[in-house]
Amino acid sequence: MSHGAKTPPRRFGLNDLAALRDNLKADAERREAERRAQAEAAQRALEEANVFRASIGNVSALRDRNRVQHPPKVPEPIPVQSQRNDKAVLEASLSDEFDVENLLDIDETMSFRRPGIGEDIIKKLRRGEWVPQDKVDLHGLRTDEAREALASFLRRSVRNDVRCVRVIHGKGIGSPDKLPVLKGKVRSWLVQKEEVIAFVQARESLGGAGALMVLLRQPRS
């Protein structure tokens, strides 16, 4: 006898990734618009001051009568570089709330491949036909540390034209509840990075259930 159907989990797809990028882009554009508005306001104030000086003509300074001369207040510089850094961090941010389950292939290792990537790529990756050219070990790191380390590692790998990497997230043996805390998070983070086109669980000799073999987008020639 049925006691009510279980509500299926919300599914996320490429449209959700596009929406995430659009939100990040919109936030960056808002910051830029605020910066421009501040610059325009400063310019208008300067122009109004020049008009005022021109309207009153030449004036004679009062004789000094033991007045304290305060240095003119210099307006604070607009933190352009800081805003650029904030934008870069925002664009590189990885969400812990992203539901990745429906994007993974349902097999014993929960592999992943982007649309257009054939199953043969997964098979070759699983067989080890791509040798990992670099690796990052996230085992033992806190969530925020692991997220930052992974994002930095992927950016460096793409910049160096690296095609295949190994990401070690650990098996959770040393965690208080003996659960692999980073395992699910790392999969979710990888799916959110456009440069990642596929990943599978590593072979036992390369970490087994505690690591992933990740295939990165081929560099543009």
Side-chain angles (χ1 to χ4, degrees):
M1 179 176 180
S2 174
H3 294 283
K6 184 179 179 180
T7 303
R10 182 186 176 191
R11 296 183 175 274
F12 290 79
L14 294 180
N15 290 336
D16 297 279
L17 289 175
L20 176 62
R21 289 194 300 272
D22 290 342
N23 289 337
L24 296 177
K25 181 179 179 182
D27 192 80
E29 290 175 348
R30 178 182 58 77
R31 290 169 179 256
E32 178 63 17
E34 292 175 353
R35 183 195 66 79
R36 291 181 179 176
Q38 292 175 358
E40 291 173 357
Q43 181 63 29
R44 285 196 300 270
L46 179 61
E47 292 173 354
E48 291 172 359
N50 290 336
V51 170
F52 176 77
R53 294 190 187 97
S55 64
I56 63 175
N58 295 327
V59 296
S60 299
L62 296 175
R63 288 182 299 173
D64 186 10
R65 295 183 178 178
N66 298 323
R67 293 184 178 182
V68 176
Q69 298 294 328
H70 296 282
K73 184 178 180 180
V74 179
E76 296 182 1
I78 299 174
V80 176
Q81 186 59 48
S82 177
Q83 291 175 351
R84 289 174 180 169
N85 293 340
D86 290 344
K87 179 181 178 182
V89 171
L90 186 65
E91 292 176 346
S93 63
L94 299 171
S95 172
D96 289 339
E97 305 301 326
F98 188 79
D99 185 2
V100 70
E101 293 300 322
N102 65 305
L103 299 177
L104 301 178
D105 287 342
I106 305 303
D107 55 25
E108 68 277 10
T109 65
M110 298 295 284
S111 59
F112 167 76
R113 57 190 173 95
R114 292 205 181 277
I117 302 300
E119 291 185 10
D120 59 317
I121 297 296
I122 292 293
K123 293 177 181 178
K124 291 179 180 179
L125 191 58
R126 187 174 285 125
R127 287 197 301 263
E129 294 192 22
W130 276 288
V131 177
Q133 300 164 270
D134 203 351
K135 69 177 181 179
V136 60
D137 190 350
L138 309 176
H139 181 251
L141 298 181
R142 294 192 298 269
T143 297
D144 290 343
E145 294 173 337
R147 178 170 46 235
E148 182 179 349
L150 179 61
S152 176
F153 171 74
L154 292 176
R155 286 195 299 270
R156 184 176 70 251
S157 297
V158 171
R159 186 169 58 247
N160 294 336
D161 293 341
V162 172
R163 187 76 197 281
C164 182
V165 298
R166 182 161 63 112
V167 177
I168 304 169
H169 50 66
K171 299 180 181 179
I173 297 176
S175 62
D177 50 7
K178 305 299 181 183
L179 294 176
V181 177
L182 289 179
K183 185 174 183 178
K185 292 184 181 296
V186 166
R187 281 172 164 77
S188 175
W189 296 338
L190 289 173
V191 169
Q192 294 177 61
K193 300 298 288 185
E194 289 187 350
E195 55 266 40
V196 174
I197 63 174
F199 61 73
V200 299
Q201 180 176 300
R203 290 174 294 167
E204 285 301 321
S205 60
L206 293 175
L212 294 172
M213 299 294 295
V214 182
L215 192 64
L216 302 178
R217 192 178 304 278
Q218 192 167 13
R220 296 182 177 87
S221 56

